[in-house]
Amino acid sequence: MDFSDHPLLRAGLAALAWAFVTHFQPEQLARLLRDLPDEHPLTRQILIYIVRVHTMTEDEFKQGVAMAKPHLVEALTMSLAQEWMDRGEAKGLQKGIQQGIQQGEAQTLLRQIERKFGPQARMHCQQRVLQADEAQLLQWIDNILTAERLEDLFQDDSSLQ
């Protein structure tokens, strides 16, 4: 992809051209880095953009940098370390939120089971409910509305049969 005779402009336009690609390959990064001057302020900004927008891992980043500018692998990796830490924190936070939602759904279902079928029913199926995945919990939450017996609640659960 040749966008211009000016290397910096070409690198910036190449970064934008890959904005809608979900996975940025190390070879593409190397091509882009060859056009970026080592100490130019835009170099770091373009690299931050790539790391934020694309699903490039730290190892893939290092590989791409090593192809184009091996002398900068450590410096560029260290300057972008915070981006990877932020990405990991965001993923961890999202996972924690999802787990919290699922635990809340499980506790609500257990409360409904106890209210509808009694405390013994809750104790009988507590472990199954707490170990269920989100899709199964949602199915059971729907099922409790029409279930006349505890067995009806788990009618789509093959582990009961």
Side-chain angles (χ1 to χ4, degrees):
M1 290 185 188
D2 287 333
F3 294 107
S4 167
D5 291 333
H6 191 278
L8 190 57
L9 179 59
R10 187 171 50 242
L13 290 172
L16 288 174
W18 286 310
F20 300 103
V21 174
T22 57
H23 191 77
F24 202 70
Q25 297 295 321
E27 296 78 18
Q28 293 167 315
L29 177 63
R31 250 192 333 259
L32 182 120
L33 281 173
R34 286 186 190 102
D35 285 335
L36 290 171
D38 290 358
E39 299 299 322
H40 196 283
L42 277 180
T43 299
R44 186 171 187 280
Q45 294 307 313
I46 289 172
L47 293 175
I48 288 172
Y49 166 79
I50 289 169
V51 169
R52 284 183 182 168
V53 172
H54 300 282
T55 57
M56 177 170 263
T57 66
E58 185 177 349
D59 288 338
E60 290 169 328
F61 178 83
K62 286 179 180 180
Q63 183 182 2
V65 173
M67 288 179 205
K69 299 187 183 231
H71 61 288
L72 292 178
V73 171
E74 188 173 331
L76 290 176
T77 303
M78 292 306 293
S79 73
L80 295 173
Q82 186 63 44
E83 297 301 319
W84 283 293
M85 288 190 306
D86 290 348
R87 185 188 296 173
E89 287 174 10
K91 284 182 182 177
L93 181 60
Q94 182 60 36
K95 184 176 180 180
I97 289 170
Q98 187 59 40
Q99 287 174 341
I101 291 169
Q102 190 168 335
Q103 288 172 354
E105 290 170 341
Q107 291 303 320
T108 299
L109 178 60
L110 288 170
R111 183 165 190 251
Q112 291 171 334
I113 290 169
E114 184 173 351
R115 296 281 306 231
K116 191 165 188 171
F117 301 112
Q120 289 297 97
R122 177 189 176 119
M123 288 177 19
H124 175 72
C125 60
Q126 185 163 342
Q127 186 157 351
R128 179 183 303 134
V129 169
L130 293 175
Q131 291 176 345
D133 63 25
E134 183 182 7
Q136 190 63 72
L137 279 173
L138 292 175
Q139 179 64 53
W140 295 340
I141 288 169
D142 290 344
N143 289 356
I144 198 161
L145 297 172
T146 57
E148 294 181 21
R149 303 171 304 143
L150 187 58
E151 295 78 28
D152 298 336
L153 174 67
F154 301 106
Q155 69 185 3
D156 296 325
D157 185 5
S158 61
S159 69
L160 285 177
Q161 297 161 1

